[in-house]
Amino acid sequence: MSSNATHADPNVTAAQTLLANDHLSFRRKVTYGFTDMSGNLLYCIISSYMLYFFTNVFGLGVGVAGTLLLIGRIFDAIGVPIMGILVDHTHSKYGKSRPWFLWMALPFAIFVWLLFTTPALSTNAKIVYAGVMYVLADLSYIAVSTPITSVLPNLTSVSDDRMSANSIRLVLGNVGNFFAVTFIIPFATFLGKGNEQRGWSMAVGVYAIVAFILLIVAFLDMRERNIENSEIVTVKQSLKATKGNWPWVLIVVANLVYWTAYTIRNSALPYYFQYNLHDKNLISFFNGFSIIQVLGMAAVPLFVKVLHKWGTTVFMLALTMLGQVWMGLAGANVTSALIGWCIACIGAGSACTMFFAMVGDTVDFGEWKNGIRANGFLTAFGASFCIQMGSGFGGFIAAKILAGFGFDATKVVQSQATAGGINLTFIWIPIIVYAISLICMVIYRKWEKHEPVVQEELAERNAEAKLSH
């Protein structure tokens, strides 16, 4: 059907009726947000403290730890498309994405807990244990995070509802991030009573129980629409959905680069405050202030109305880079550094919101262009793949830079050269990487302008299909 169809056309009328009755309630937007709160409650411990835990608690060398982080992401690179295909092949009374929250809630909680549990093994056996648990924890997170993004286009077809639901999801996800990065170290210290390894295991165990409960609640309240008409999407069809889908390509590249920069910064953060500013307490203090990014996340829908999606993302990435520069110039001035940190957090958190929202739009584009709606496959690459591979690249890059500048966790005081390497990793390298993501989003502008045509014609096709039955 052409987008120039008259209003008298019954397909157009039916399409308008479908869109009008497809709104998502505020309660279900909130329970949808529980999925990301659960995922972040555990995964942000991994993305923020994995390198630090491996070197300063578990007892691995920084080079070995960095290699494990990269190897784990190689497995993720295989697991992400498989998970996307599994979602597209899922056919149950609960839908395609929703049942995965039920199936994977317990494995996800258990594997992350085991990852932060230090066994009494030989050095080589501990390396094997760390590698295996890291892979299993990551794969279980992929099995949770992939449906978080892929389910959104099936919860509602209303663009504004998707945007607000995604904003609520990421605000609640940031609450999970706040509790993960702010309290895990003091909580582990409190529970361990001088035994860091025991403390981390117990603290992450408590977090894992809460994460499990949140996922189950989300599963129970969630509903996918039109599941009775859902079709199995083959691997060949999934690949075809990417053909000519340039908006999807740009989102994948931009989001992958974003998570690489984000993880480089977060991986270096504990070292920066412990060794450069000589105050380990600042790790939790600064991470606690990351909650301020909910201000930007909550305001994203307002920014989008003025700057559009591409412009909002560019603005937020530029804000992130400004905050990084501010921290670099602040040096040992903690108050000034905190201002820069807050600016960077608002920018980074809001940019992250945009990527997750826009990848859902690329699913619509793929269906419009190729006639295939591959929610699982496209969103798996646009979200989970970017998070996992970006985190792996970021952690590996951070570890290699630190190793190259002579970092040694057994030394209470690092050399001047090492402190310079930590500063480079925490402040300046992320700025360069964020700039690449920003350029991708400037290019994305032309594709966003085409979205109204895509939405209208898809609504007409769906209405025509309903009328034909």
Side-chain angles (χ1 to χ4, degrees):
M1 277 289 174
S2 169
S3 59
N4 294 321
T6 65
H7 291 294
D9 191 321
N11 292 335
V12 175
T13 302
Q16 292 171 341
T17 302
L18 281 174
L19 289 172
N21 295 329
D22 195 28
H23 286 288
L24 192 64
S25 69
F26 178 77
R27 187 198 78 206
R28 286 201 166 135
K29 291 176 183 177
V30 172
T31 51
Y32 169 62
F34 284 176
T35 59
D36 214 32
M37 182 187 290
S38 171
N40 280 2
L41 194 63
L42 296 183
Y43 188 74
C44 285
I45 301 176
I46 296 176
S47 62
S48 296
Y49 294 118
M50 195 75 264
L51 182 60
Y52 179 81
F53 175 82
F54 276 161
T55 59
N56 288 43
V57 180
F58 198 82
L60 301 180
V62 66
V64 173
T67 301
L68 287 180
L69 295 181
L70 184 62
I71 291 175
R73 301 311 176 180
I74 294 175
F75 282 92
D76 295 340
I78 300 172
V80 167
I82 292 176
M83 188 62 218
I85 292 168
L86 286 175
V87 169
D88 286 332
H89 276 70
T90 301
H91 187 79
S92 75
K93 64 180 180 179
Y94 301 122
K96 287 181 171 293
S97 302
R98 180 188 171 200
W100 288 96
F101 300 126
L102 175 65
W103 299 335
M104 294 306 302
L106 187 59
F108 176 49
I110 290 176
F111 287 138
V112 174
W113 170 65
L114 289 175
L115 175 61
F116 286 92
T117 298
T118 306
L121 300 172
S122 65
T123 300
N124 289 337
K126 283 178 68 176
I127 292 174
V128 173
Y129 174 89
V132 171
M133 289 305 153
Y134 182 60
V135 169
L136 291 176
D138 271 355
L139 291 178
S140 64
Y141 176 69
I142 291 173
V144 169
S145 63
T146 298
I148 291 176
T149 308
S150 66
V151 76
L152 182 56
N154 283 358
L155 296 179
T156 176
S157 61
V158 180
S159 181
D160 287 345
D161 275 357
R162 286 183 186 176
M163 182 61 67
S164 61
N166 190 67
S167 293
I168 291 172
R169 159 203 166 180
L170 289 172
V171 166
L172 292 178
N174 191 65
V175 173
N177 171 72
F178 171 74
F179 279 96
V181 301
T182 306
F183 300 114
I184 191 63
I185 288 182
F187 192 34
T189 301
F190 171 76
L191 294 178
K193 301 185 186 303
N195 186 329
E196 278 195 298
Q197 294 181 345
R198 182 180 65 182
W200 274 85
S201 179
M202 294 174 67
V204 174
V206 172
Y207 276 48
I209 293 172
V210 175
F212 170 78
I213 293 172
L214 287 171
L215 274 180
I216 295 300
V217 170
F219 162 78
L220 292 173
D221 192 54
M222 193 175 292
R223 297 293 182 274
E224 288 190 53
R225 61 185 179 86
N226 299 327
I227 60 175
E228 67 278 0
N229 298 321
S230 64
E231 299 179 354
I232 299 298
V233 180
T234 66
V235 176
K236 183 178 180 180
Q237 288 174 320
S238 295
L239 293 173
K240 185 179 178 182
T242 69
K243 184 179 180 181
N245 197 337
W246 292 110
W248 175 78
V249 173
L250 286 169
I251 292 298
V252 169
V253 174
N255 204 16
L256 174 63
V257 171
Y258 165 88
W259 280 100
T260 300
Y262 184 82
T263 306
I264 291 173
R265 184 194 72 174
N266 283 7
S267 295
L269 182 148
Y271 303 103
Y272 181 79
F273 290 115
Q274 181 170 342
Y275 299 109
N276 287 40
L277 298 190
H278 311 293
D279 190 347
K280 189 176 179 180
N281 293 324
L282 289 177
I283 299 173
S284 295
F285 179 72
F286 268 68
N287 271 328
F289 270 90
S290 65
I291 190 68
I292 198 171
Q293 63 192 10
V294 301
L295 298 178
M297 290 177 173
V300 157
L302 299 178
F303 276 94
V304 170
K305 290 183 182 298
V306 178
L307 301 176
H308 306 291
K309 284 177 281 191
W310 77 271
T312 299
T313 312
V314 167
F315 175 78
M316 294 304 177
L317 287 171
L319 197 65
T320 306
M321 295 162 66
L322 173 64
Q324 289 287 123
V325 172
W326 191 310
M327 283 190 291
L329 298 177
N333 187 327
V334 175
T335 301
S336 182
L338 183 60
I339 294 173
W341 173 251
C342 289
I343 293 172
C345 285
I346 291 173
S350 302
C352 178
T353 301
M354 296 309 306
F355 289 127
F356 287 119
M358 288 186 286
V359 74
D361 297 328
T362 69
V363 173
D364 292 337
F365 188 91
E367 182 182 8
W368 172 81
K369 186 173 182 62
N370 302 303
I372 299 169
R373 190 170 185 82
N375 289 47
F377 188 81
L378 294 181
T379 59
F381 268 98
S384 297
F385 175 81
C386 296
I387 295 172
Q388 297 293 328
M389 288 306 298
S391 298
F393 288 146
F396 178 76
I397 291 170
K400 288 304 179 184
I401 293 175
L402 294 179
F405 279 88
F407 174 78
D408 185 348
T410 62
K411 296 180 179 179
V412 177
V413 179
Q414 303 296 323
S415 69
Q416 185 175 354
T418 301
I422 293 173
N423 181 70
L424 176 69
T425 309
F426 179 61
I427 301 292
W428 305 108
I429 295 297
I431 294 174
I432 298 171
V433 184
Y434 278 129
I436 300 172
S437 183
L438 186 151
I439 293 170
C440 290
M441 296 317 302
V442 172
I443 300 172
Y444 184 85
R445 177 183 181 183
K446 65 172 290 188
W447 302 107
E448 184 177 345
K449 289 182 177 180
H450 189 60
E451 284 178 9
V453 174
V454 172
Q455 292 292 336
E456 183 179 348
E457 293 193 7
L458 283 181
E460 289 182 30
R461 290 181 198 174
N462 292 334
E464 183 178 6
K466 282 184 175 292
L467 289 174
S468 66
H469 282 77

